């Protein structure tokens, strides 16, 4: 490899995968006020297990292959020795918050949202904005965010209304993807094209929930 290329190890990819899988499930539970159904948690984790397979995470190192409890233990074991914020960490987090700030959710409000989720200890290490020094407008933005997301998450969990919300959300995402240029990256294991004539099931490490994968006939 050239000097410009830096390898990403399995652990770094695994903890990133957990940020989009386990952490999302926990975040939804915090905002919703209750846990998702076990089958929904298992299904969502399996999607990210497959994504991990596609980007090159070996199944033996994939944190999403044995359920929520295993994912939690793997996340905690990794964070114990990699999560040590320093001055550069604080600069990076605050720069990202400032770059993504909007009129309705400015930098300070986003910082308070993050502080609510991380807690005071980690927030202070990352030099996030404090409630004591925030203006009334910033506090209202933060309250509006949690109120809106909380009710939206709750309605999405209802039997009939939730289905309507899901359809709306799906169409909105499709619209965003249609009007927004998407950067494509090569995958370690590109998905197999669909086969109209069917497919064989052969033993493997991924991508199905019963540890099998599809191969073309």
């Amino acid at each position: 490899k050239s000097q410009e290329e830096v390898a990403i190890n399995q652990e770094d990819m695994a903890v990133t995968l957990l940020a989009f899988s386990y952490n999302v499930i926990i975040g939804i539970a915090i905002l919703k006020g209750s846990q998702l159904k076990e089958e929904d948690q298992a299904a969502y984790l399996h999607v990210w297990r497959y994504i991990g397979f596609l980007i090159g995470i070996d199944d033996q190192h994939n944190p999403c292959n044995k359920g929520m409890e295993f994912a939690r233990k793997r996340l905690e074991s990794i964070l114990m020795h990699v999560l040590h914020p320093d001055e550069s960490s604080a600069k990076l987090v605050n720069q990202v918050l400032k770059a993504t700030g909007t009129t309705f959710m400015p930098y300070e409000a986003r910082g308070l949202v993050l502080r609510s989720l991380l807690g005071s200890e980690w927030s202070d290490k990352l030099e996030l904005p404090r409630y004591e020094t925030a203006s009334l407008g910033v506090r209202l933005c933060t309250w509006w965010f949690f109120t809106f997301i909380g009710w939206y998450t709750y309605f999405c969990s209802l039997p009939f209304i939730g289905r309507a919300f899901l359809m709306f959300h799906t169409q909105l995402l499709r619209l965003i993807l249609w009007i927004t240029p998407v950067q494509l990256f090569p995958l370690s294991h590109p998905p197999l094209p669909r086969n109209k004539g069917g497919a064989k099931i052969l033993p493997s490490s991924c991508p199905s929930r019963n540890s099998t994968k599809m191969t073309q006939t």
Side-chain angles (χ1 to χ4, degrees), residues 135-152:
S135 65
L136 177 60
V138 169
R139 294 187 184 187
L140 287 175
C141 285
T142 307
W143 171 85
W144 171 86
F145 173 84
F146 280 112
T147 301
F148 173 78
I149 295 296
W151 279 106
Y152 188 89

Side-chain angles (χ1 to χ4, degrees), residues 42-120:
Y44 187 75
L45 272 186
H46 178 69
V47 169
W48 282 98
R49 177 189 176 189
Y50 182 51
I51 293 174
F53 169 78
L54 294 178
I55 64 176
I57 300 179
D58 296 335
D59 207 42
Q60 61 179 328
H61 301 304
N62 195 315
C64 300
N65 64 356
K66 296 181 181 178
M68 285 289 290
E69 183 62 18
F70 180 79
R72 180 187 66 80
K73 291 179 179 179
R74 181 60 63 88
L75 178 64
E76 290 179 353
S77 66
I78 295 175
L79 294 184
M80 285 294 290
H81 70 90
V82 301
L83 192 60
H84 300 287
D86 54 18
E87 183 179 353
S88 63
S89 305
K91 289 181 178 180
L92 175 62
V93 170
N94 282 276
Q95 186 58 42
V96 170
L97 291 175
K98 291 176 181 178
T100 56
T102 64
T103 302
F104 296 102
M105 282 295 292
Y107 154 71
E108 292 83 0
R110 289 173 178 268
L112 292 185
V113 169
L114 191 55
R115 175 175 284 276
S116 299
L117 297 174
L118 290 178
S120 298

Side-chain angles (χ1 to χ4, degrees), residues 6 23-24 32 39 90 93 98 110 112 134 149 172 182 214:
V6 179
N23 281 2
V24 170
K32 181 173 177 283
E39 55 266 32
V93 170
K98 291 176 181 178
R110 289 173 178 268
L112 292 185
I149 295 296
L172 180 62
V182 178
M214 304 289 287

Side-chain angles (χ1 to χ4, degrees), residues 50 54 82 88 124 128 135 138 160 170 174 196 204 206 216:
Y50 182 51
L54 294 178
V82 301
S88 63
D124 290 342
L128 295 176
S135 65
V138 169
F160 299 104
T170 301
R174 287 177 177 173
K196 294 182 180 180
S204 182
C206 207
Q216 297 299 318

Side-chain angles (χ1 to χ4, degrees), residues 32 34 36-37 40 150-167:
K32 181 173 177 283
S34 61
L36 295 174
K37 296 179 181 179
D40 292 338
W151 279 106
Y152 188 89
T153 305
Y154 170 73
F155 282 125
C156 286
S157 66
L158 298 178
F160 299 104
I161 299 178
R163 185 172 300 178
F165 270 77
L166 179 60
M167 293 176 60

Side-chain angles (χ1 to χ4, degrees), residues 6-15 57:
V6 179
I8 302 176
N9 61 41
Q10 292 283 301
E11 184 182 64
D12 288 341
M13 291 197 293
V15 75
I57 300 179

